[in-house]
Amino acid sequence: MPTALCPRTVEEPGSKGRVSALRLQLCSLNQEDAAADAALTTCLMWVAGVLVETAGDVADPRTAKVLVHRASAALAAVPVPPENGSGPGPQQLTARQLAVLKQLQEEVSLRQIANDLYVSYNTVKSHTRAVYRKLGARSRAEALARARELGLM
C-alpha cells in the first residue's frame, strides 16, 4: 500500500514536522539528499505560489492576510542549499514580494497593484524595489525575465 506524501495534519503548511516528514518520504523513494531537497523546494514553492495567487483572488483582506502568512511559512521552510562555491544566487523573495511580482506581469500601475493587494502605494513601491534588488534587475521587464529564468513565474 503506497504511503501518502502529504498526510493531513493540523500543522501549518511550512511547519518543521510536516516538512521533515515530506523530506523523509522523498528520501525513502531512493532519492539522493540533494534531489529530495530539490523536490521539497519545488513542492513548497508551488504551495506558496498557489496561496499567494489565491490571496490575490479573494475579496476579504483578513482571509488574504492569512493565506499570505501561510505562504510565508511555507517559503521559510525551504531547505537552504549547501554552499558549493558557485557564488551567491538571488535572495529569496517574501510572499508579498512574490505577489507583487506576479502583479507586475499584468502591466498595470503600481497604484493599481496596491489597490488589488489592499496595501498602500508606498508598500508596493518598497516591495518592487526589493524584488528588483533581489533579482538583480533594474526594470520591470528585466525583473520579469529573471523571475522566469528562476522559475518563479
Side-chain angles (χ1 to χ4, degrees):
M1 172 181 257
T3 59
L5 278 180
C6 298
R8 295 182 63 89
T9 68
V10 294
E11 300 174 44
E12 294 263 335
S15 71
K16 292 192 186 303
R18 183 177 280 180
V19 171
S20 295
L22 178 58
R23 186 176 187 283
L24 285 172
Q25 289 179 353
L26 289 170
C27 287
S28 73
L29 298 173
N30 295 325
Q31 297 285 326
E32 294 179 16
D33 284 350
D37 283 346
L40 179 60
T41 297
T42 301
C43 291
L44 290 170
M45 294 292 286
W46 181 83
V47 167
V50 168
L51 289 170
V52 168
E53 187 176 306
T54 304
D57 292 341
V58 298
D60 177 29
R62 287 184 184 172
T63 303
K65 184 176 180 179
V66 170
L67 290 168
V68 169
H69 174 72
R70 293 281 177 114
S72 181
L75 290 175
V78 169
V80 177
E83 291 295 325
N84 60 6
S86 64
Q91 296 175 7
Q92 189 163 340
L93 300 177
T94 66
R96 285 311 257 180
Q97 290 165 353
L98 280 172
V100 169
L101 179 63
K102 289 188 185 302
Q103 292 281 325
L104 288 174
Q105 69 183 342
E106 301 297 323
E107 296 186 22
V108 296
S109 70
L110 296 182
R111 201 163 298 283
Q112 182 60 45
I113 293 171
N115 289 340
D116 292 347
L117 297 178
Y118 304 103
V119 295
S120 76
Y121 170 72
N122 286 332
T123 299
V124 171
K125 280 183 15 183
S126 295
H127 286 319
T128 302
R129 280 194 302 267
V131 167
Y132 288 6
R133 179 179 41 80
K134 289 180 177 182
L135 294 179
R138 290 177 294 216
S139 68
R140 182 184 284 209
E142 198 175 326
L144 292 171
R146 181 81 173 121
R148 285 186 193 99
E149 281 175 21
L150 296 170
L152 298 174
M153 306 191 68

